[in-house]
């Protein structure tokens, strides 16, 4: 992964002030929001797999350091038409055990309200392939919706396996089956049981890319079934941070901010993000769990201990960038392009 800076990677951004022009119930516990510029301006372009930061005007009672300016920031995949330059669409599942952001969207946000929007950013890009297998679990359908449209547009051979608790809980199910018919395999768990990944994924294929988004147990199951597939055949996106092993290094390490000429010491008690901010670096962050990609920063020297849930093995091995909110250092020194 090549980046120029964390801020540049945040995309052009549209700042505060998009308007909720529509709010619709699209499945049990799921609403979709249509966002437009209040003045009708064109919105920044995006590609399938992109997400935005949605900044709600209210703080969260269960807020974390990820909140800023009193608002609540959450990441949602864009699931509308990427060729519609004036509209973003997202879908939000009410998370009963969440930190309160989804409840605000469901209970407080109304058509006509203004929200802040950051991004779009894409850490789950659709790479070229002759064939695709898409696997969605529940609200994990959202980043895959624009992907199947793109695959169809490009004439690729694709199939979508879409699992959910019940038919009524599966957002955009009818839209998908109406548009793509038998390419879409709908598997409500209460009628048909769990997804039969072994049967569906079959034997490893070198001409096929597998894209999966959904809850952690589904991702783990797909990763296990794809263990013998060629490297980089499987791409996943997580909504929650993956489990991590203990940090490679417990001792403090130094981080040099090459552009400002400062060097800071990162102790066990602090993140690299906190340390560089104390040194005056202005780095954007959002989730602070290694899932959203906002704090991505170029690495000039040293080997990061990658602890995020975004980079692929290939991208990690390049050692040219890291997520400052969670990742640390394998050695006693890192040099960042800050
Ligand atoms: Fe989300 Fe670092 S702030 S990955």
């Amino acid at each position: 992964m090549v980046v120029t800076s964390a801020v540049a990677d945040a995309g052009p951004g549209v700042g505060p002030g998009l308007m909720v022009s529509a709010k619709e119930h699209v499945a049990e516990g799921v609403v979709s929001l249509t966002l437009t510029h209040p003045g009708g301006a064109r919105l920044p372009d995006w590609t399938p797999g992109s997400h935005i930061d949605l900044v709600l005007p209210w703080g969260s009672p269960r807020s974390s350091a990820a909140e800023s300016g009193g608002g609540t920031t959450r990441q949602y995949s864009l699931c509308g038409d990427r060729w519609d330059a004036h509209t973003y669409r997202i879908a939000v599942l009410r998370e009963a055990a969440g930190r309160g952001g989804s409840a605000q969207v469901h209970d407080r946000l109304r058509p006509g309200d203004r929200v802040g929007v950051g991004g779009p950013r894409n850490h789950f890009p659709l790479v070229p392939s002759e064939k695709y297998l898409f696997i969605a679990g529940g609200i994990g359908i959202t980043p895959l919706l624009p992907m199947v449209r793109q695959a169809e547009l490009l004439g690729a051979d694709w199939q979508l396996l879409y699992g959910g608790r019940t038919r009524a809980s599966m957002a955009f199910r009818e839209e998908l089956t109406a548009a793509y018919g038998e390419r879409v395999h709908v598997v409500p768990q209460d009628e048909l049981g769990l997804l039969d990944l072994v049967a569906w994924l079959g034997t490893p294929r070198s001409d096929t890319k597998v894209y999966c988004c959904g809850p952690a147990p589904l991702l783990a199951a797909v990763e296990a079934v794809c263990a013998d597939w060629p490297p980089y055949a499987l791409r996943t996106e997580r909504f929650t941070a993956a489990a991590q092993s203990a940090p490679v290094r417990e001792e403090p390490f130094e981080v040099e901010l090459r552009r400002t000429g400062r060097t800071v010491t990162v102790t066990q008690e602090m993140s690299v993000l906190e340390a560089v901010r104390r040194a005056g670096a202005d780095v954007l962050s959002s989730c602070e769990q290694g899932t959203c990609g906002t704090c991505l920063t170029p690495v000039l020297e040293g080997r990061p201990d990658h602890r995020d849930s975004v980079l692929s093995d290939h991208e990690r091995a390049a050692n040219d960038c890291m997520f400052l909110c969670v990742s640390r250092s394998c050695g006693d020194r890192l040099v960042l392009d800050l």
Side-chain angles (χ1 to χ4, degrees):
M1 174 174 286
V2 177
V3 292
T4 51
S5 78
V7 174
D9 190 68
V14 291
L18 287 197
M19 187 175 71
V20 179
S21 52
K23 177 179 175 181
E24 288 175 56
H25 172 91
V26 291
E28 229 169 59
V30 182
V31 293
S32 76
L33 300 180
T34 303
L35 306 174
T36 53
H37 191 280
R42 183 187 172 98
L43 303 180
D45 293 339
W46 57 282
T47 50
S50 296
H51 67 263
I52 57 170
D53 298 317
L54 184 73
V55 186
L56 298 162
W58 314 283
S60 164
R62 282 163 280 174
S63 65
S64 72
E67 322 300 355
S68 61
T72 299
T73 304
R74 297 289 182 269
Q75 289 72 43
Y76 295 104
S77 298
L78 289 168
C79 63
D81 178 0
R82 68 169 292 202
W83 303 112
D84 177 352
H86 294 89
T87 301
Y88 288 161
R89 180 174 73 164
I90 60 172
V92 180
L93 170 69
R94 182 191 288 275
E95 305 265 11
R99 289 176 290 149
S102 66
Q104 290 183 355
V105 170
H106 277 255
D107 299 336
R108 298 182 71 173
L109 201 62
R110 302 271 177 270
D113 285 347
R114 301 284 181 96
V115 289
V117 172
R121 288 186 295 275
N122 195 347
H123 296 295
F124 191 41
L126 188 68
V127 298
S129 181
E130 291 170 25
K131 297 182 181 179
Y132 298 98
L133 296 176
F134 299 107
I135 303 172
I139 197 66
I141 191 63
T142 51
L144 301 186
L145 264 175
M147 288 191 184
V148 302
R149 283 196 200 103
Q150 179 91 343
E152 182 76 10
L153 199 67
L154 294 173
D157 183 4
W158 66 270
Q159 304 257 326
L160 167 67
L161 183 63
Y162 182 12
R165 282 183 298 105
T166 62
R167 274 180 202 276
S169 72
M170 298 171 72
F172 309 117
R173 173 180 51 83
E174 288 171 353
E175 175 181 321
L176 281 161
T177 51
Y180 306 117
E182 292 182 353
R183 284 190 187 275
V184 179
H185 305 262
V186 173
V187 184
Q189 192 178 342
D190 63 338
E191 296 174 32
L192 302 169
L194 293 172
L195 302 178
D196 188 347
L197 296 172
V198 173
W200 206 70
L201 284 162
T203 50
R205 278 163 269 168
S206 59
D207 61 350
T208 303
K209 298 281 186 252
V210 180
Y211 279 77
C212 179
C213 185
L218 173 66
L219 297 178
V222 171
E223 282 169 353
V225 175
C226 286
D228 294 328
W229 280 62
Y232 321 125
L234 171 64
R235 306 276 317 204
T236 60
E237 183 167 69
R238 296 175 180 277
F239 294 138
T240 54
Q244 302 286 339
S245 54
V248 170
R249 179 189 177 88
E250 292 188 348
E251 301 81 21
F253 53 92
E254 292 202 327
V255 173
E256 179 186 331
L257 287 63
R258 177 63 54 86
R259 278 192 266 151
T260 59
R262 297 201 182 116
T263 297
V264 289
T265 301
V266 182
T267 62
Q268 205 178 353
E269 294 74 37
M270 67 178 74
S271 67
V272 176
L273 180 65
E274 288 174 73
V276 301
R277 279 180 172 166
R278 285 183 198 181
D282 187 15
V283 180
L284 295 178
S285 71
S286 181
C287 72
E288 302 199 357
Q289 298 176 37
T291 57
C292 76
T294 306
C295 64
L296 185 67
T297 299
V299 174
L300 301 176
E301 292 173 29
R303 192 155 70 90
D305 174 12
H306 293 290
R307 310 184 60 74
D308 63 88
S309 305
V310 177
L311 296 179
S312 66
D313 291 346
H314 181 59
E315 289 164 341
R316 284 170 186 235
N319 283 330
D320 61 0
C321 64
M322 67 186 284
F323 295 95
L324 302 190
C325 63
V326 289
S327 294
R328 303 186 66 80
S329 177
C330 293
D332 55 16
R333 185 174 174 81
L334 286 173
V335 181
L336 302 178
D337 189 14
L338 286 176

